Amino acid sequence: MTKIILVRHGEASASWEESSDPGLSNLGINQAEECSSILLKLDDIDNFDLKSSPLKRAIETAEKLKIKLNKNLLIDPAFAEIPSPGVSLQNRQHWLKEIFNQKVDELEKPQKNWHKKIISEIKKIERPTIIFSHFMVINTIVGYVKKDESMVCFYPDNCSITKLNKSEDKIHLANLGSELSSKIN
């Protein structure tokens, strides 16, 4: 059995409509530090490979654990956030909210290709791996494992830790990470 851990990046310093690649906010830096401390407590942490999306907020989250373990961090574009070609920065938030309500088969070609690449790459993992990534990437993988065709089936919080087990070509959900808390006004 191969363990795969999905970590959502810490809080970004800017929203999706303010920056295409923000780093972590001060809170995000603290979340990443706390997350790395939690991951360090795993019995077999030294056996894990570390992968990250190429986006700053994911890399900065991963760096905390990378430094503590003195390990390499593989940057893997397959685990980057959902592509939004042709969508202006100002319209990205609205566009993303529309994606939240879609099924996988309703996606446009760039997003379908992105979705297929994520599933293809997760299936190839043969060693214990921690992947530092994004809300939509984690939803893609969790949706695939749960056989849920919705684009959003889970609301992972910043630095949420979701655990999967892979045996042969089957992937099983061991534990969903913490979810975003909602406010009722």
Side-chain angles (χ1 to χ4, degrees), residues 19-20 53 82 99 113 119 151 181:
S19 174
S20 60
S53 154
I82 189 168
I99 296 285
N113 290 341
I119 302 307
M151 281 304 296
S181 58

Side-chain angles (χ1 to χ4, degrees), residues 6 78-83 99 103-104 107 111-122 133-156 164 171:
L6 309 173
F79 300 109
E81 187 58 277
I82 189 168
I99 296 285
K103 301 281 187 199
V104 173
L107 295 173
Q111 293 79 32
K112 279 185 182 174
N113 290 341
W114 165 85
H115 189 276
K116 286 178 188 172
K117 181 70 173 169
I118 292 168
I119 302 307
S120 172
E121 290 303 308
I122 205 85
S133 194
H134 307 275
F135 182 97
M136 294 301 289
V137 173
I138 294 169
N139 265 282
T140 294
I141 297 166
V142 170
Y144 170 76
V145 171
K146 292 172 76 176
K147 297 179 175 45
D148 186 333
E149 288 295 311
S150 304
M151 281 304 296
V152 175
C153 61
F154 169 51
Y155 286 80
L164 308 171
I171 302 172

Side-chain angles (χ1 to χ4, degrees), residues 9 11-25 57:
H9 60 78
E11 181 185 79
S13 61
S15 74
W16 231 55
E17 58 193 12
E18 295 171 329
S19 174
S20 60
D21 191 14
L24 294 176
S25 68
R57 57 198 181 273

Side-chain angles (χ1 to χ4, degrees), residues 5-12 24-39 56-65 130-135 138 154-163 175-180:
I5 297 176
L6 309 173
V7 177
R8 183 175 177 216
H9 60 78
E11 181 185 79
L24 294 176
S25 68
N26 288 335
L27 174 59
I29 292 167
N30 291 335
Q31 290 168 333
E33 188 66 44
E34 185 178 323
C35 181
S36 71
S37 294
I38 292 168
L39 292 170
K56 288 178 194 170
R57 57 198 181 273
I59 292 171
E60 289 176 11
T61 303
E63 286 287 328
K64 302 294 182 188
L65 185 62
I130 300 173
I131 302 168
F132 295 85
S133 194
H134 307 275
F135 182 97
I138 294 169
F154 169 51
Y155 286 80
D157 203 352
N158 292 112
C159 287
S160 171
I161 300 170
T162 296
K163 297 177 182 178
N175 187 42
L176 273 179
S178 59
E179 291 198 68
L180 291 167

Side-chain angles (χ1 to χ4, degrees), residues 2 29 40 49 55 60 78 80 105 112 126 132 139 154 182:
T2 303
I29 292 167
L40 280 171
D49 291 338
L55 299 176
E60 289 176 11
D105 64 357
K112 279 185 182 174
E126 297 295 328
F132 295 85
N139 265 282
F154 169 51
S182 60

Side-chain angles (χ1 to χ4, degrees), residues 52-94:
S52 177
S53 154
L55 299 176
K56 288 178 194 170
R57 57 198 181 273
I59 292 171
E60 289 176 11
T61 303
E63 286 287 328
K64 302 294 182 188
L65 185 62
K66 172 194 173 288
I67 291 166
K68 289 178 181 179
L69 291 174
N70 194 26
K71 285 198 165 232
N72 291 327
L73 176 64
L74 175 65
I75 304 302
D76 191 335
F79 300 109
E81 187 58 277
I82 189 168
S84 57
V87 179
S88 70
L89 219 51
Q90 297 82 359
N91 292 328
R92 284 175 73 194
Q93 195 74 24
H94 175 74

